[in-house]
C-alpha cells in the first residue's frame, strides 16, 4: 500500500482482525454474483448506492437488504471464500469473524448447514497461512429468547472453531439486564463473551455490559471517552475496545457521540483512549459496506497521529487479545517473526 501516512514497516506486518462481520464483507461484485443465482440482476453501481448511508438506521437497512440474498448454504460458502481471499491481501494471518446467526434463525434457515458450508469454504486457506475462528452473534432488538437460541445453535454445531458469543444490532432497544441468563449460558458452554456497546449508546451501555454480562471485549466502545471512571475500569481490568474508525464515520455513530452534524477521522477518540492505557484492537467491522480495508484503518490511525511505534504496538494488541490459548499466540508470533 503506497501511503504517505502508513509506514511500510507497518503495512508489511502480519495482522489479526477481531471485529469483522462476514455479512458486512460482501463486495459489490459478489453481491451481483449472489443475486444472479436468484435471478435478480443488479449492477455493482446499484450495490454501491445501497452501501451509502448517513446514519446507523440507514446502515441497518442496507445490512438487511444484502443479507436477504443469503438463502442457501452455498451462498455462505461463496462469501466466506471471498472474505478469506480479501484478508490475505491485507496480510491477515488470524481472524475472528462474526456470523449473524440471529438473522439466519429469523429467516428460518438452518445455521448448522450454513456453518458447515462456511467451514468447508475456509478450510483450504489455512494452508495459505490464514486461520479463522468464529463468533456467533445475536441481534439485540430480537430480544433475549432469540439470543438464547443463538447460544443453543452454537452448542449444536459442536465446533472448536466457535470461540465466542456476542450481541450486536440496536443497542438502544432491549435493556442489558434482560440478557444475563443468555450470557450465563454462553459462558457455561465455554464461549468467550462479547457485546457491541457504546457505539451509538452512552458509556453506561459499556459499563452495564461489563458489570452485568461480564464481557471480555467491547464492540466499538467509543462512548468510553466521555467517562473517565469507565476508562479507568477498562484500564484496570484490561478490557479491550474493538475500534472500527471508518464504521464510526459511515454510520454517523461518531457524529452522534460528539453532537456534531458530521465527524471526520481526525475527530476520532482512538488516540485519547489508546494513550490513556486502554487496550485497543483495530478492525474494519463491515469492510465492504464501509468502503474500507484493514490497511486503510491502520492508515486512519496514522492520520490520527499515532506514531510508527504506537502503530506496531496496535498490531500486537489484536494478537494479544485474540481468543486463543497462550501457546497458540506464541505459535502465531513465531510464524510472524521467522
Amino acid at each position: 500500500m503506497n501511503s504517505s501516512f502508513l509506514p511500510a514497516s507497518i503495512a508489511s506486518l502480519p495482522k489479526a482482525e477481531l471485529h469483522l462481520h462476514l455479512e458486512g464483507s460482501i463486495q459489490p461484485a459478489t453481491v451481483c454474483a449472489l443475486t444472479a443465482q436468484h435471478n435478480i440482476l443488479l449492477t455493482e453501481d446499484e450495490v454501491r448506492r445501497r452501501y451509502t448511508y448517513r446514519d446507523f438506521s440507514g446502515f441497518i437497512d442496507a445490512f438487511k437488504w444484502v443479507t436477504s440474498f443469503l438463502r442457501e448454504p452455498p451462498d455462505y460458502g461463496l462469501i466466506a471464500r471471498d472474505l478469506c481471499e480479501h484478508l490475505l491481501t491485507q496480510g491477515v494471518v488470524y481472524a475472528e469473524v462474526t456470523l449473524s446467526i440471529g438473522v439466519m434463525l429469523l429467516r428460518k434457515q438452518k445455521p448448522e448447514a450454513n456453518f458447515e458450508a462456511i467451514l468447508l469454504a475456509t478450510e483450504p486457506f489455512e494452508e495459505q497461512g490464514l486461520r479463522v475462528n468464529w463468533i456467533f452473534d445475536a441481534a439485540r432488538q430480537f430480544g433475549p429468547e432469540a439470543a438464547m437460541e443463538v447460544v443453543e445453535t452454537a452448542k449444536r454445531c459442536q465446533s472448536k472453531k466457535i470461540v465466542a458469543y456476542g450481541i450486536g444490532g440496536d443497542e438502544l432497544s432491549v435493556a442489558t439486564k434482560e440478557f444475563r441468563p443468555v450470557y450465563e449460558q454462553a459462558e457455561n458452554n465455554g464461549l468467550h463473551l462479547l457485546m457491541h456497546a457504546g457505539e451509538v449508546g452512552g458509556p453506561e451501555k459499556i459499563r452495564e455490559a461489563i458489570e452485568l454480562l461480564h464481557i471480555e471485549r467491547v464492540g466499538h466502545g467509543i462512548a468510553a471517552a466521555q467517562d473517565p471512571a469507565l476508562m479507568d475500569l477498562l484500564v484496570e481490568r484490561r478490557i479491550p475496545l474493538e475500534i472500527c474508525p471508518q464504521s464510526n464515520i459511515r454510520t454517523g455513530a461518531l457524529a452522534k457521540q460528539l453532537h456534531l452534524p458530521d465527524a471526520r477521522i481526525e475527530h476520532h477518540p482512538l488516540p485519547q483512549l489508546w494513550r490513556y492505557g486502554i487496550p485497543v484492537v483495530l478492525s474494519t467491522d463491515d469492510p465492504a459496506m464501509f468502503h474500507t480495508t484493514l490497511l486503510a484503518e491502520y492508515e486512519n490511525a496514522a492520520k490520527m497521529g499515532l506514531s510508527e511505534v504506537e502503530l506496531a504496538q496496535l498490531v500486537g494488541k489484536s494478537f494479544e487479545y485474540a481468543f486463543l490459548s497462550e501457546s497458540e499466540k506464541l505459535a502465531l508470533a513465531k510464524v510472524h517473526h521467522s
Side-chain angles (χ1 to χ4, degrees):
M1 179 174 178
N2 296 321
S3 166
S4 55
F5 283 102
L6 191 64
S9 64
I10 303 303
S12 63
L13 282 176
K15 296 175 181 66
E17 182 163 14
L18 306 181
H19 187 120
L20 169 60
H21 296 265
L22 175 64
E23 299 87 349
S25 74
I26 314 173
Q27 298 295 335
T30 312
V31 177
C32 294
L34 266 180
T35 57
Q37 290 176 12
H38 302 302
N39 297 315
I40 302 163
L41 296 179
L42 282 177
T43 66
E44 289 185 39
D45 279 345
E46 285 174 295
V47 179
R48 286 190 195 96
R49 277 198 293 277
R50 284 282 194 156
Y51 281 2
T52 306
Y53 10 78
R54 291 191 59 79
D55 56 25
F56 192 77
S57 64
F59 158 66
I60 293 289
D61 286 343
F63 192 89
K64 285 181 192 168
W65 172 78
V66 76
T67 55
S68 73
F69 304 123
L70 297 169
R71 299 172 186 178
E72 305 290 338
D75 298 342
Y76 285 92
L78 170 68
I79 65 170
R81 205 159 34 245
D82 208 45
L83 173 60
C84 288
E85 285 169 1
H86 169 74
L87 289 173
L88 287 174
T89 71
Q90 300 299 298
V92 174
V93 296
Y94 177 72
E96 290 174 2
V97 182
T98 296
L99 284 179
S100 295
I101 302 294
V103 173
M104 294 180 195
L105 290 166
L106 181 74
R107 295 200 165 123
K108 310 294 184 201
Q109 294 176 1
K110 292 192 170 71
E112 297 91 334
N114 292 340
F115 188 55
E116 198 175 322
I118 287 166
L119 290 181
L120 279 171
T122 54
E123 192 179 9
F125 288 90
E126 299 232 353
E127 290 173 14
Q128 297 179 56
L130 172 62
R131 185 173 170 195
V132 182
N133 281 330
W134 301 90
I135 295 162
F136 274 28
D137 181 73
R140 188 166 180 148
Q141 63 270 28
F142 297 170
E145 282 182 31
M148 186 67 89
E149 181 59 28
V150 175
V151 174
E152 288 162 5
T153 301
K155 190 173 184 181
R156 285 196 301 272
C157 285
Q158 290 187 312
S159 171
K160 289 181 179 172
K161 294 242 168 222
I162 306 167
V163 292
Y165 171 80
I167 290 183
D170 180 3
E171 68 176 302
L172 305 177
S173 55
V174 181
T176 308
K177 64 182 180 187
E178 299 293 323
F179 297 101
R180 281 180 86 161
V182 180
Y183 274 78
E184 283 167 10
Q185 189 59 54
E187 187 173 28
N188 290 341
N189 292 357
L191 295 174
H192 291 282
L193 307 178
L194 303 168
M195 190 175 226
H196 287 54
E199 180 183 11
V200 293
E204 72 284 353
K205 294 292 181 189
I206 303 170
R207 188 178 288 278
E208 288 167 6
I210 294 167
E211 294 183 344
L212 299 178
L213 309 179
H214 307 126
I215 63 163
E216 298 163 73
R217 293 196 317 242
V218 179
H220 297 285
I222 55 173
Q226 303 166 23
D227 185 341
L230 175 61
M231 291 201 290
D232 289 339
L233 179 72
L234 293 166
V235 172
E236 180 190 326
R237 297 202 192 169
R238 308 307 300 151
I239 296 173
L241 304 180
E242 301 164 351
I243 299 279
C244 311
Q246 196 62 38
S247 164
N248 301 152
I249 300 289
R250 298 273 182 176
T251 61
L254 182 57
K256 184 176 180 0
Q257 294 290 354
L258 299 176
H259 308 290
L260 291 172
D262 286 298
R264 296 191 310 275
I265 281 297
E266 292 78 12
H267 296 137
H268 203 283
L270 187 157
Q272 175 195 350
L273 297 163
W274 171 259
R275 287 169 184 159
Y276 201 86
I278 297 167
V280 168
V281 297
L282 192 64
S283 291
T284 59
D285 198 10
D286 301 275
M289 302 187 78
F290 298 135
H291 316 278
T292 194
T293 64
L294 191 58
L295 285 174
E297 295 299 359
Y298 276 94
E299 186 177 347
N300 281 330
K303 285 178 184 172
M304 293 175 209
L306 264 65
S307 69
E308 191 168 344
V309 169
E310 288 175 306
L311 292 168
Q313 291 169 338
L314 197 55
V315 171
K317 290 294 176 197
S318 291
F319 291 106
E320 185 180 337
Y321 288 97
F323 293 138
L324 293 168
S325 68
E326 290 309 313
S327 60
E328 287 171 311
K329 289 178 193 178
L330 279 171
L332 273 174
K334 276 181 189 166
V335 171
H336 305 154
H337 296 112
S338 61

